[in-house]
Amino acid sequence: MEAYTEIREAVAKLCAGFPGSYWRALDRDMAYPTEFVNALTEGGYLSVLIPEAYGGSGLPLSAAAAILEEVQRAGCNGGACHAQMYTMGTLLRHGSDAQKAEYLPAIAEGRLRLQAFEVTEPTSGTDTGSLKTTARREGDHYVVNGQKIWTSRAEHSDLMLLLARTTPRTEGMKRTDGLSVLLIDMRAAKGNGLTIRPIRTMMNHATTEVFFDDLRVPAENLIGEEGRGFRYILSGMNAERILIAAECVGDAKWFIDKAKAYASERSVFGRPIGANQGVQFPIAQAYANMRAAELMVREALTLYEGGANPGAEANMAKMLAADASFEAANACIQTHGGFGFAEEYDVERKFRETRLYQVAPISTNLILAYLSEHVLGLPRSY
Ligand SMILES: Cc1cc2nc3c(=O)[nH]c(=O)nc-3n(C[C@H](O)[C@H](O)[C@H](O)COP(=O)(O)OP(=O)(O)OC[C@H]3O[C@@H](n4cnc5c(N)ncnc54)[C@H](O)[C@@H]3O)c2cc1C
């Protein structure tokens, strides 16, 4: 039985107010789903992980997973706001009491948005240790210079978390040491050393590139200790992977339901196409794979909530769920024949949206490399 039945039903009801026509119109204009994100915020869904003492609901990660799964299952796109759930964990776990008191209640109330985080750079890609953006301490400020890419939702967020190099890399130094996390208030920074440029992508994802030119950030906005930022970002990655996996399970369920319905109602050669094994088997296979991925998501959640560090399970959940959703997307488009490519069925839009999760926030290859090295004990391949 699925957990959080009431939350799931409430999210499904909210999502019913944002049908395919809403998403198609946004998709055409590459516009941000402001009304949808506002509705989720007002419903308190984006602050479920914030402790009650700071105005949130203090629920565990599995509640956030249930919410995001339902969003995707309803045909909506949580990519517009999912980062608020896992980015906020860095502030929660590593921020000072003063930072938490300043930002968390405002985020919980929906007055502040923490939707953007910046790790990826154009030249370093997955190799985070070689990122080049610097934050140089000058008195009571850091001065930030460099460039980030794929900073999603930057135009629709008030705050962003930045990973930058505060200590130059020297011989013998661990490549991931000397990186720090800064919380940037973009309202003050825009036009004062921070420039954001949107990137048009195959799906509507509100992603951007961000340029820093002597941006001054108050030193009090450093999260945790200087030089330990990579560890702080890493500690949030399990949550991020598990939540993205839950979204992919939701996507897979949407594709399977859609394919099932169409296969039952579309008649060719005098009978429903779903009566043909060639049509029904790919849908059945997608269902089996979705269920297996769902079990791995649950395993990762159980371990995470038990206080373990489920790097392997979070990675496997993300990989298996992303594969399951893309396989279900493929079966769904095939089941729809030509209509799978028509905008009004929403299948092609969801197909484009779920394709992302083979690459972001971590690509399948890097997950396989992690499992090879850390679980199977094979030599490090990179
Ligand atoms: C729409 C979108 C939104 C995003 N949002 C954000 C965001 O909000 N914040 C953020 O920081 N980042 C974000 N990202 C970045 C995303 O996390 C990266 O694109 C992803 O981690 C891959 O990095 P890369 O694009 O630099 O690829 P690269 O690192 O250049 O890799 C390219 C390809 O080579 C493969 N590869 C690289 N090295 C190896 C190796 N050693 N072994 C085997 N294969 C390898 C990879 O698997 C990949 O398929 C987003 C990306 C996209 C497309």
Side-chain angles (χ1 to χ4, degrees), residues 23 32-33 36-37 77-83 115 153 156 205-206 247:
W23 297 99
Y32 187 73
F36 173 71
V37 176
N77 189 1
C81 52
H82 55 195
Q115 294 281 12
R153 303 159 297 271
H156 307 282
H205 198 82
E247 289 189 315

Side-chain angles (χ1 to χ4, degrees), residues 123-354:
T123 55
S124 54
T126 311
D127 182 8
T128 307
S130 64
L131 62 76
K132 296 196 178 72
T133 298
T134 55
R136 194 182 67 251
R137 183 78 188 245
E138 259 185 27
D140 56 2
H141 278 77
Y142 285 95
V143 180
V144 181
N145 280 288
Q147 186 194 343
K148 294 286 177 179
I149 193 164
W150 307 121
T151 308
S152 301
R153 303 159 297 271
E155 295 170 295
H156 307 282
S157 185
D158 303 305
L159 306 171
M160 72 161 73
L161 282 182
L162 167 75
L163 185 68
R165 183 159 286 288
T166 38
T167 309
R169 237 165 95 183
T170 47
E171 191 95 15
M173 182 177 166
K174 218 176 142 201
R175 49 199 289 106
T176 47
D177 279 348
L179 300 174
S180 302
V181 174
L182 293 174
L183 184 65
I184 297 183
D185 189 332
M186 290 193 289
R187 295 166 301 178
K190 271 184 221 163
N192 292 309
L194 178 84
T195 308
I196 302 172
R197 273 198 218 135
I199 305 176
R200 285 185 71 87
T201 49
M202 75 187 257
M203 66 294 165
N204 182 15
H205 198 82
T207 198
T208 68
E209 52 186 344
V210 176
F211 301 85
F212 303 97
D213 184 12
D214 284 336
L215 172 71
R216 294 177 69 78
V217 180
E220 67 204 35
N221 287 23
L222 175 75
I223 303 278
E225 279 176 52
E226 192 181 283
R228 296 179 62 83
F230 184 71
R231 289 171 190 79
Y232 304 154
I233 294 288
L234 259 192
S235 80
M237 282 182 174
N238 286 337
E240 178 193 57
R241 278 158 207 179
I242 295 171
L243 291 182
I244 299 278
E247 289 189 315
C248 289
V249 167
D251 273 346
K253 289 182 179 177
W254 184 88
F255 285 118
I256 291 163
D257 284 348
K258 213 58 187 171
K260 207 171 62 176
Y262 190 78
S264 306
E265 88 203 10
R266 170 77 168 170
S267 238
V268 179
F269 297 112
R271 59 180 190 159
I273 55 168
N276 300 297
Q277 290 182 337
V279 174
Q280 60 178 234
F281 282 8
I283 305 172
Q285 181 74 55
Y287 178 77
N289 290 351
M290 176 277 289
R291 291 298 309 275
E294 189 176 40
L295 285 178
M296 187 54 81
V297 175
R298 283 190 197 161
E299 165 101 340
L301 280 169
T302 304
L303 291 168
Y304 185 94
E305 289 174 0
N309 176 27
E313 289 77 11
N315 270 301
M316 287 189 284
K318 192 270 171 186
M319 183 182 81
L320 295 173
D323 285 351
S325 70
F326 193 58
E327 190 203 352
N330 214 18
C332 188
I333 228 170
Q334 197 70 17
T335 303
H336 280 74
F339 290 111
F341 298 85
E343 222 180 44
E344 66 171 293
Y345 284 76
D346 294 312
V347 175
E348 59 83 35
R349 171 179 63 81
K350 292 282 283 179
F351 179 93
R352 288 183 277 118
E353 287 171 2
T354 214

